Amino acid sequence: MNKKTNFRYFLAGGLIAIAAIAITVFSCEKQIFSPQTDTAISDGPTRFITEPGAVCGKIINKRIMKNNETSVGEALIYNDGMYFYVLLNTDKGYLKDVYMHVSSKYGSLPMTEDGSPIIEEFNHKIVGERPSNVRKFRIPLRQMFGTSYISVAAEYVQNLNNSNQKVHISWVEGKFFGAEKPAQIFDYKKQHCLTDSEISDAPVE
């Protein structure tokens, strides 16, 4: 193969490489990034629990209620030996900012004079994250009480492609509390974790 032939192959290869780079750059410029879609449809929401075997007691399931009347998702509530968790997920839209208030007394929520909850003043929050199907609270178990009273609110949107759609404040189901725009509150008792000795002493069935 002579030098001219080699040069032609080299030139052709260079042109192909330049074209590939141009296509890649153009594609990146035109790409539309979608929000996080860690949806739990296929395997169920328990796949977002990092170590299911470490959960103490049982996992409590509650619905996420839009406008206090329509279910748009599910909350899994549980604890392990160190932390308390509330795992929110929806397969019907997206969650934006979420807020949780934990207290030792029922109804101990930041409220307006007309009886509406002030969710921005709740003592736990996840804000400023991109919309997602999943939100997860994790707080140290030492911050929980024997019986804790918990209220969880989430900003829910059904379709991110509609910039004019309303953001709905949705609540993890519980007992209604408040007057004008009521919150929902549920109670949670820390689940007991079996020690190694308790496991070894357990009767064999």
Side-chain angles (χ1 to χ4, degrees):
M1 188 178 290
N2 58 36
K3 292 183 178 180
K4 287 185 178 180
T5 304
N6 287 339
F7 177 76
R8 286 172 184 168
Y9 278 112
F10 176 79
L11 182 61
L15 291 173
I16 292 171
I18 292 170
I21 292 170
I23 292 171
T24 302
V25 171
F26 179 79
S27 299
C28 289
E29 288 178 348
K30 293 296 184 181
Q31 185 176 2
I32 299 174
F33 290 95
S34 61
Q36 181 178 341
T37 54
D38 293 335
T39 185
I41 299 173
S42 58
D43 300 325
T46 53
R47 73 187 179 96
F48 294 107
I49 298 175
T50 309
E51 297 181 7
V55 173
C56 302
K58 63 180 181 178
I59 299 173
I60 297 172
N61 298 65
K62 289 184 176 291
R63 296 175 297 172
I64 301 173
M65 306 299 291
K66 182 183 77 173
N67 298 331
N68 284 331
E69 58 184 23
T70 305
S71 175
V72 294
E74 181 182 27
L76 303 183
I77 304 152
Y78 59 98
N79 69 266
D80 58 22
M82 296 182 64
Y83 295 98
F84 167 74
Y85 302 87
V86 175
L87 173 60
L88 309 171
N89 82 95
T90 176
D91 58 8
K92 299 177 181 178
Y94 297 92
L95 303 173
K96 299 179 75 177
D97 293 348
V98 292
Y99 306 85
M100 179 171 73
H101 195 78
V102 180
S103 64
S104 60
K105 295 196 306 182
Y106 177 80
S108 179
L109 291 176
M111 304 286 284
T112 63
E113 292 183 357
D114 65 5
S116 298
I118 309 173
I119 60 176
E120 294 80 7
E121 296 183 9
F122 282 14
N123 51 21
H124 301 278
K125 61 193 73 174
I126 302 171
V127 298
E129 301 289 336
R130 60 178 178 166
S132 172
N133 306 85
V134 176
R135 288 284 188 258
K136 185 177 184 179
F137 286 104
R138 186 187 78 167
I139 64 174
L141 206 56
R142 63 178 180 274
Q143 295 181 14
M144 301 294 289
F145 307 95
T147 298
S148 297
Y149 296 93
I150 302 165
S151 188
V152 181
E155 294 181 345
Y156 167 82
V157 291
Q158 187 169 0
N159 183 357
L160 290 176
N161 296 323
N162 181 359
S163 60
N164 297 319
Q165 75 170 318
K166 182 178 179 181
V167 175
H168 297 274
I169 301 299
S170 304
W171 296 88
V172 174
E173 66 179 338
K175 294 182 179 179
F176 288 109
F177 181 84
E180 185 67 20
K181 296 179 180 178
Q184 295 201 45
I185 301 174
F186 60 91
D187 62 78
Y188 182 82
K189 295 182 180 179
K190 288 187 286 188
Q191 302 288 307
H192 176 64
C193 298
L194 293 177
T195 64
D196 291 339
S197 61
E198 287 176 316
I199 293 172
S200 62
D201 292 341
V204 178
E205 296 182 358

